[in-house]
Amino acid sequence: MFLNQLIRTLEAEHRGTTGEALAISGSSLGEADQQPELGVTAAIHGADLLALGYSINEVVHHYGDLCQAVSDLSIDLNEKFELHEFRTLNRCLDNGIADAVTGFSEHRDLVIADEQALEANERLGFFAHELRNYLHTAMLAIAAIKSGNVGLNGSTGGVLDRSMVGLRGLIDRSLAEVRIGPGMILRRAVFNLANFIGEVQYSFSLEAELLKCNFHVEQTPAILMVDADKDLLFSALGNLLQNAFKFSGKGGVVTLSVGTKDDRIRINVKDSGPGMSMEDTQGIFLPFTQSGTNKSGLGLGLSIARRSVEANDGLLTVESQPGQGCVFTIDLPRRSVTQEDVPNAATVKGRCEDR
């Protein structure tokens, strides 16, 4: 089709009908208000190449190959180009490339938009489904307690507690995902890590108790300071702990510890779950990825956790071997302690000792 349009353009130029030639192949200026025949078909061609799985580089090279083929054939047949003919060939190629790339990009944007809409709908559907399950269980537990036949301290109260903890985790993950979305501003602040770990321990001890999972928190040096968005870091660490509780199971052990290396701080969450192979760990941080036999949850926690950590200039990694559990590590820059931080560190140390 392109060769046919090129030949007709050359024939029109040979007859001196410039307007007819431009209507077929367009001018060298590529005016946006003109829609030459060559441009329309090139745009369709670009969209077709997208559907066939070609890259935008291959779209451009496709026309480059055509130009090379025409040039090689002219040499083989000993047919020389006239200068104006070569200019026409280049103009047609330039216009064809421009319109093909435009068609490719426009359709790619539509495909990406459709994929994003589908992903958003899928995520919202999962969220609503899990939210409904937690609420339904909580309402049943409350109805049973209100009947007077059971008490808050029994197994029904435990069901209510688990539902509330599940709701909190679900909402926390959703809020964290919104916070790390495009255009959102981080609320960074310098805070003491020991105090932060104490807050995490207090918040997630109840969940560990409900799941009958042993939760050990090693002592954190009171002098360690970090500069981060505290809410996002809390959400990331909370996701890791919930994941560790789930896979460690009843009677399992989850350990939260803090270490340092050079100018980095490492927050480690170690579980006693079944562990994973190196191959399984490769895609564990991708959205909607669920490993192991426990498929509860949306499969978004680790993905959101990694994005939350990276938003704070940190790294989230995992080490694991089958049968030996997993160790997730949040690696953050260490904040140098200034004179202004010393009173805060001392105060926190006192609070930790009181606790």
Side-chain angles (χ1 to χ4, degrees):
M1 187 177 294
F2 175 86
L3 290 174
N4 177 269
Q5 291 163 343
L6 173 61
I7 292 170
R8 288 163 51 209
T9 298
L10 289 167
E11 290 175 342
E13 290 180 348
H14 183 70
R15 293 192 302 267
T17 53
T18 305
E20 180 184 351
L22 294 179
I24 298 171
S25 58
S27 71
S28 58
L29 300 178
E31 289 89 345
D33 58 341
Q34 294 184 356
Q35 288 187 326
E37 180 185 328
L38 186 148
V40 173
T41 55
I44 297 173
H45 180 61
D48 288 342
L49 290 179
L50 172 66
L52 291 171
Y54 287 89
S55 69
I56 196 166
N57 289 336
E58 290 170 321
V59 174
V60 175
H61 289 152
H62 197 185
Y63 283 89
D65 291 341
L66 182 59
C67 179
Q68 189 64 46
V70 171
S71 300
D72 289 346
L73 185 61
S74 71
I75 295 174
D76 292 341
L77 299 179
N78 197 27
E79 293 284 350
K80 295 182 179 180
F81 282 108
E82 296 292 338
L83 182 59
H84 70 89
E85 292 176 333
F86 193 70
R87 286 176 177 171
T88 299
L89 171 61
N90 282 330
R91 187 183 81 245
C92 289
L93 286 168
D94 287 343
N95 289 344
I97 291 172
D99 289 309
V101 168
T102 299
F104 182 97
S105 300
E106 288 178 349
H107 281 75
R108 182 182 59 184
D109 291 342
L110 291 174
V111 170
I112 292 174
D114 288 342
E115 290 176 349
Q116 290 176 339
L118 181 62
E119 182 180 335
N121 288 337
E122 185 179 7
R123 183 180 290 113
L124 182 61
F126 275 123
F127 175 81
H129 176 74
E130 194 157 314
L131 185 67
R132 182 188 63 184
N133 287 343
Y134 283 129
L135 285 174
H136 179 69
T137 303
M139 291 175 66
L140 290 177
I142 291 174
I145 293 171
K146 288 174 67 176
S147 68
N149 296 323
V150 296
L152 280 172
N153 295 325
S155 58
T156 304
V159 170
L160 179 60
D161 286 340
R162 283 191 291 273
S163 298
M164 294 297 102
V165 169
L167 281 171
R168 182 197 65 186
L170 187 63
I171 293 172
D172 284 346
R173 288 198 301 271
S174 300
L175 290 175
E177 188 172 18
V178 171
R179 287 285 314 282
I180 57 181
M184 299 303 291
I185 300 175
L186 296 181
R187 297 195 294 264
R188 301 181 73 111
V190 178
F191 56 89
N192 184 275
L193 191 58
N195 192 28
F196 174 77
I197 295 297
E199 293 175 7
V200 172
Q201 179 181 5
Y202 179 79
S203 297
F204 288 90
S205 291
L206 173 60
E207 185 166 352
E209 183 178 344
L210 290 172
L211 297 175
K212 301 187 184 307
C213 181
N214 299 297
F215 182 30
H216 298 314
V217 180
E218 297 182 1
Q219 185 174 1
T220 302
I223 199 171
L224 293 182
M225 310 291 290
V226 292
D227 182 2
D229 186 309
K230 191 173 183 180
D231 292 338
L232 284 185
L233 188 58
F234 189 95
S235 171
L237 187 52
N239 273 319
L240 296 181
L241 288 173
Q242 289 174 336
N243 203 60
F245 294 149
K246 180 173 74 171
F247 287 102
S248 295
K250 184 178 179 180
V253 179
V254 174
T255 302
L256 173 60
S257 63
V258 175
T260 59
K261 184 176 181 180
D262 299 327
D263 59 346
R264 309 291 294 183
I265 290 177
R266 295 179 175 178
I267 305 174
N268 303 304
V269 175
K270 181 179 180 180
D271 65 50
S272 58
M276 295 178 292
S277 66
M278 182 176 297
E279 181 180 355
D280 290 335
T281 62
Q282 299 301 314
I284 195 172
F285 295 108
L286 296 176
F288 299 108
T289 299
Q290 294 175 310
S291 60
T293 58
N294 190 336
K295 302 297 183 182
S296 62
L298 303 181
L300 290 171
L302 291 178
S303 172
I304 296 173
R306 171 173 250 182
R307 289 162 59 192
S308 298
V309 171
E310 289 176 347
N312 284 299
D313 302 323
L315 297 172
L316 176 56
T317 58
V318 59
E319 293 183 2
S320 180
Q321 292 184 10
Q324 298 185 21
C326 297
V327 179
F328 288 86
T329 300
I330 298 176
D331 188 303
L332 295 168
R334 181 173 180 174
R335 168 65 150 75
S336 300
V337 179
T338 64
Q339 189 64 35
E340 296 177 354
D341 297 325
V342 173
N344 295 332
T347 302
V348 171
K349 182 177 179 181
R351 289 176 180 173
C352 291
E353 291 175 349
D354 291 341
R355 183 179 291 129

